[in-house]
């Protein structure tokens, strides 16, 4: 909602908002102190889903969440509804195919000619990175820390959007549908692809996908290449002062 700068006084609140059978939803909200008004400015907000795993890596039952006040009950209900809407949205998105969208291509092309100053093929916006993670990136389970992967994805999305917009001041303002499908192990090579999938008057949406290239292991039935992380990042075409520009 608002950018953070070096020297800002930041306060972050997080609390468990909803508990499923083996998962928990944690709501996080960040605020920064405004020097002039001495008030707090809402800057970032996210709902993060965690899965409870046992020492064997198998999901286990999560503890019960007790909501005592009416505000806590309403908030838990709101988070649960958002999770259900997210599942419905994901199901609908997975149902789309290139053939089902072909009928819209002509109308979109004609609109783009009027709204935008130039046209760029989607594949020409693609940015591809590869990385081998180090032991310092490991979490307590011996896999790559999810925060490091999310930082890598956001950095790639920001660079892809900045290159498309021809604007080094372009800034990531939102993340959506970020999924951790499978953990990344330290012996796997991570391959990341970012590309612009939609643009509006002031922002572009960048799709990121992380795949792992697995070493060949005799006797294994797992594929040599797997999708592990996906997400959509919204990049704002901002000025040096943080204002929106077309």
């Amino acid at each position: 909602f608002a950018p953070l700068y070096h020297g800002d006084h930041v306060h972050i609140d997080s609390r468990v908002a909803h508990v499923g059978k083996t998962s928990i939803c944690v709501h996080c909200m960040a605020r920064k102190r405004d020097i002039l008004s001495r008030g707090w400015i809402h800057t970032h907000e996210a709902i993060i889903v965690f899965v409870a795993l046992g020492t064997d890596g198998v999901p286990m039952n999560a503890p019960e969440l007790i909501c005592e006040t009416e505000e806590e009950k309403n908030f838990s209900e709101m988070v649960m509804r958002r999770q259900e809407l997210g599942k419905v949205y994901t199901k609908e998105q997975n149902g789309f195919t290139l053939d089902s969208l072909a009928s819209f291509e002509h109308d979109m092309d004609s609109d783009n000619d009027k709204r935008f100053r130039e046209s760029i093929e989607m594949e020409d916006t693609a940015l591809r990175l590869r990385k081998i993670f180090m032991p310092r990136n490991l979490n307590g389970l011996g896999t790559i820390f999810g925060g490091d992967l999310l930082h890598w994805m956001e950095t790639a999305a920001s660079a892809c959007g900045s290159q498309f917009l021809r604007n080094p001041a372009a800034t990531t303002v939102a993340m959506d549908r970020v999924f951790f499908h499978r953990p990344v192990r330290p012996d796997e090579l991570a391959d990341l692809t970012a590309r612009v999938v939609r643009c509006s008057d002031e922002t572009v949406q960048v799709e990121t996908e992380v795949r792992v290239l697995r070493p060949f292991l005799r006797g294994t039935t797992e594929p040599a290449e797997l999708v592990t992380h996906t997400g959509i990042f919204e990049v704002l075409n901002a000025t040096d002062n943080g204002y929106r520009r077309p």
Side-chain angles (χ1 to χ4, degrees):
F1 302 105
L4 294 175
Y5 299 100
H6 180 73
D8 282 342
H9 181 192
V10 181
H11 179 85
I12 299 178
D13 288 313
S14 62
R15 61 174 172 171
V16 177
H18 178 71
V19 174
K21 184 177 180 180
T22 61
S23 63
I24 62 174
C25 298
V26 178
H27 176 262
C28 300
M29 183 175 67
R31 298 173 294 170
K32 71 175 181 179
R33 190 81 169 185
D34 183 55
I35 298 177
L36 299 179
S37 66
R38 301 184 186 276
W40 291 93
I41 300 176
H42 186 191
T43 61
H44 297 77
E45 184 177 7
I47 295 178
I48 307 173
V49 181
F50 295 88
V51 177
L53 299 177
T55 56
D56 55 357
V58 177
M60 58 184 296
N61 291 335
E64 180 185 3
L65 177 66
I66 300 177
C67 299
E68 297 180 341
T69 65
E70 193 67 25
E71 185 273 336
E72 291 177 346
K73 294 178 182 179
N74 293 336
F75 188 77
S76 180
E77 180 71 18
M78 181 272 294
V79 171
M80 184 180 67
R81 290 177 179 271
R82 289 180 62 175
Q83 289 297 112
E84 294 299 325
L85 289 174
K87 293 178 181 179
V88 173
Y89 182 83
T90 301
K91 183 178 180 180
E92 292 178 350
Q93 291 296 307
N94 292 337
F96 281 112
T97 62
L98 293 178
D99 294 336
S100 64
L101 297 176
S103 59
F104 298 99
E105 290 183 355
H106 178 72
D107 294 337
M108 292 177 62
D109 290 341
S110 60
D111 291 341
N112 289 342
D113 292 339
K114 300 176 182 178
R115 293 177 56 194
F116 305 109
R117 61 178 180 268
E118 61 178 322
S119 298
I120 302 175
E121 295 291 336
M122 184 180 295
E123 290 304 318
D124 293 337
T125 69
L127 174 67
R128 188 172 184 181
L129 304 173
R130 285 188 174 182
K131 184 172 184 177
I132 297 178
F133 290 92
M134 304 299 290
R136 63 174 178 270
N137 301 117
L138 299 181
N139 57 25
L141 299 175
T143 58
I144 306 304
F145 182 56
D148 290 348
L149 283 161
L150 184 60
H151 176 264
W152 190 39
M153 294 167 65
E154 190 278 328
T155 301
S158 179
C160 178
S162 178
Q163 183 178 11
F164 177 82
L165 296 168
R166 297 181 181 178
N167 179 13
T171 306
T172 303
V173 294
M175 297 182 292
D176 191 18
R177 304 188 296 281
V178 178
F179 294 104
F180 289 20
H181 304 284
R182 175 192 175 279
V184 177
R185 296 200 290 262
D187 62 339
E188 296 172 332
L189 174 64
D191 181 280
L192 185 151
T193 301
R195 61 174 182 171
V196 176
V197 295
R198 183 179 181 275
C199 58
S200 62
D201 293 336
E202 299 174 341
T203 62
V204 296
Q205 289 187 348
V206 180
E207 176 190 61
T208 61
E209 181 183 78
V210 177
R211 295 174 176 264
V212 293
L213 308 180
R214 297 173 50 79
F216 176 74
L217 299 175
R218 295 184 181 276
T220 182
T221 58
E222 292 189 13
E225 187 174 327
L226 295 171
V227 176
T228 61
H229 299 72
T230 56
I232 301 292
F233 296 81
E234 187 168 358
V235 180
L236 173 67
N237 190 24
T239 64
D240 294 336
N241 296 326
Y243 294 101
R244 295 172 177 265
R245 75 178 192 183

